[in-house]
């Protein structure tokens, strides 16, 4: 008899935002979800349930018992910091709990207590006073990945890659949480090649795409239009596409990004590589905001997240929708199963 699947470790997120709201709603409305537990504070979760008028059983437990608890109650594993925040308010005292939740989730996967990390949204500015020094979740997780051992990048680093995955589009920004003015200086052929290589490898290993097709968007309007609108597409992006092809990856471009996202175009590729944050996130969120999942590729563990932010303005009102978190939990379970069995979701058994 095979062992029961490990539960997913769901992080606290910003307590003043909608993370607790959608956690409760996901558990209440989708009882067929893969088992998960929240790393946080059971009392704070109970207060939010009362605020929302939700009758959700909540049980404090430990990771080893969480999967069994899940059938009767939403399991909560304490992180050693009480949560005092209220809906719609950022409370600096809660920062240690938010950070500890992320660190603990990664450690639970590393030590075999959880199958994957699913993160609720954070407010980075609320964490800076507690020593958080990363532009976002993605970069922090790349640092935590060192606990699994040295990565393949120089200096033993891991290279986390953000992918937004929806039902109709997967989009990857090559540069992520940086100012738009900084993008041309940061964009290099090597960076694009490394991003494309990691995306292709993870799409094959964890998503069941034997030969992923990567559409590479240009940086400038009309992909530079033969250099009349910028030289980066000819000098930086095109050589990267050629190098990816040289690695045996089905990549093509640079393409004018304004024609990449209509239905007929999307049928021609499995993932789009775009040169900066909004170039990637605007189309995927426009097409399927509530069903899109933020996936971190290139790590030695699985991490997914809802594609929305903390939404402080609607926290505690009942207006938040759990769809993206539900999709993130389901995707994390499928990806973790692919890691455990070597058979990606969608691949032939």
């Amino acid at each position: 008899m095979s062992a029961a699947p490990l539960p997913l470790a769901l992080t606290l997120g910003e307590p003043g935002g909608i993370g607790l709201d959608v956690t409760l709603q996901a558990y209440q409305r989708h009882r067929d979800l893969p088992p998960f537990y929240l790393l946080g504070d059971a009392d704070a979760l109970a207060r939010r349930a009362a605020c929302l008028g939700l009758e959700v059983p909540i049980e404090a437990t430990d990771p080893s018992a969480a999967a069994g608890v899940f059938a009767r109650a939403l399991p909560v594993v304490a992180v050693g910091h009480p949560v005092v925040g209220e809906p719609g308010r950022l409370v600096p005292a809660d920062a240690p709990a938010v950070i500890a939740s992320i660190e603990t989730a990664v450690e639970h996967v590393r030590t075999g207590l959880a199958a994957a990390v699913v993160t609720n949204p954070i407010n980075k500015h609320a964490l800076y006073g507690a020593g958080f020094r990363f532009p976002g979740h993605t970069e922090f997780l790349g640092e935590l990945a060192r606990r699994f051992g040295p990565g393949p990048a120089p200096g033993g680093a891991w290279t986390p890659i953000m992918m937004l995955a929806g039902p109709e589009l997967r989009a990857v920004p090559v540069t992520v949480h940086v100012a738009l003015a900084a993008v041309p200086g940061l964009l290099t052929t090597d960076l694009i090649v490394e991003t494309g290589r990691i995306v292709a490898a993870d799409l094959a290993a964890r998503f069941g795409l034997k030969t992923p097709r990567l559409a590479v968007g240009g940086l400038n309007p009309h992909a530079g239009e033969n250099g009349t609108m910028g030289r980066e597409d000819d000098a930086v992006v095109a050589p990267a596409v050629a190098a990816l092809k040289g690695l045996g990856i089905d990549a093509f471009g640079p393409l004018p990004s304004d024609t990449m996202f209509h239905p007929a175009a999307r049928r021609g590729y499995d993932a789009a590589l775009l040169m900066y944050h909004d170039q990637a996130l605007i189309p995927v969120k426009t097409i399927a905001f509530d069903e899109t999942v933020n996936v971190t590729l290139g790590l030695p563990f699985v991490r997914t997240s809802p594609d929305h932010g903390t939404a402080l303005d609607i926290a505690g009102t009942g207006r938040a929708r759990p769809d993206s978190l539900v999709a993130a939990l389901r995707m994390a379970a499928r990806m973790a199963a692919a890691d455990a069995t070597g058979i990606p979701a969608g691949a032939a058994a």
Side-chain angles (χ1 to χ4, degrees):
M1 182 181 296
S2 60
L6 293 171
L8 307 172
L10 175 63
T11 68
L12 172 65
E14 167 51 51
I18 61 171
L20 296 181
D21 301 39
V22 296
T23 297
L24 290 159
Q25 292 168 338
Y27 180 83
Q28 183 187 59
R29 300 177 189 178
H30 300 274
R31 297 308 303 276
D32 61 335
L33 283 172
F36 67 89
Y37 59 89
L38 179 71
L39 282 155
D41 181 343
D43 290 339
L45 189 62
R47 291 196 302 270
R48 186 62 58 88
C51 175
L52 294 169
L54 298 178
E55 295 185 2
V56 176
I58 297 165
E59 186 172 329
T61 186
D62 59 71
S64 62
V69 170
F70 189 81
R72 63 177 182 269
L74 203 170
V76 179
V77 175
V79 293
H81 300 277
V83 173
V84 299
E86 299 175 356
R89 292 180 56 234
L90 298 177
V91 179
D94 282 337
V98 176
I99 296 170
S101 179
I102 301 168
E103 293 178 328
T104 304
V106 172
E107 188 64 13
H108 283 180
V109 174
R110 189 187 72 82
T111 56
L113 294 171
V117 175
V118 182
T119 59
N120 269 311
I122 59 173
N123 183 294
K124 296 179 287 294
H125 291 287
L127 305 181
Y128 289 149
F132 192 78
R133 55 182 176 83
F134 300 91
H137 256 133
T138 303
E139 296 82 358
F140 186 33
L141 291 164
E143 180 64 24
L144 294 175
R146 290 176 179 271
R147 298 181 179 183
F148 288 74
W158 294 89
T159 305
I161 301 297
M162 174 192 287
M163 180 173 76
L164 275 292
E168 300 178 43
L169 174 64
R170 300 181 188 95
V172 177
V174 175
T175 62
V176 188
H177 297 117
V178 297
L180 185 59
V183 170
L186 294 171
L187 199 62
T188 66
T189 296
D190 287 346
L191 177 61
I192 299 169
V193 171
E194 181 66 358
T195 301
R197 185 192 65 76
I198 291 171
V199 171
D202 270 19
L203 287 178
R206 290 171 164 170
F207 288 82
L209 298 170
K210 291 184 178 180
T211 309
R213 301 164 298 166
L214 305 184
V216 183
L219 172 66
N220 297 297
H222 302 175
E225 203 165 280
N226 298 318
T228 61
M229 297 189 199
R231 299 296 306 168
E232 293 89 352
D233 295 293
D234 289 341
V236 177
V237 184
V241 174
L244 287 168
K245 290 179 178 178
L247 294 174
I249 294 171
D250 185 357
F252 54 96
L255 305 172
S257 59
D258 61 347
T259 59
M260 288 179 62
F261 304 112
H262 60 84
R266 296 198 306 268
R267 288 194 288 271
Y269 58 84
D270 298 302
L273 266 62
L274 291 311
M275 298 303 106
Y276 57 90
H277 184 278
D278 285 8
Q279 194 181 35
L281 272 64
I282 287 174
V284 74
K285 290 189 176 187
T286 299
I287 292 169
F289 184 85
D290 291 309
E291 295 81 31
T292 296
V293 177
N294 183 347
V295 186
T296 305
L297 308 178
L299 296 179
F301 58 91
V302 170
R303 179 264 180 156
T304 67
S305 177
D307 75 336
H308 55 71
T310 56
L312 294 168
D313 57 322
I314 63 170
T317 67
R319 290 161 51 199
R321 294 181 56 174
D323 306 57
S324 187
L325 176 59
V326 168
L329 290 162
R330 295 194 194 282
M331 184 175 289
R334 292 195 298 270
M335 293 175 65
D339 276 4
T341 64
I343 303 174

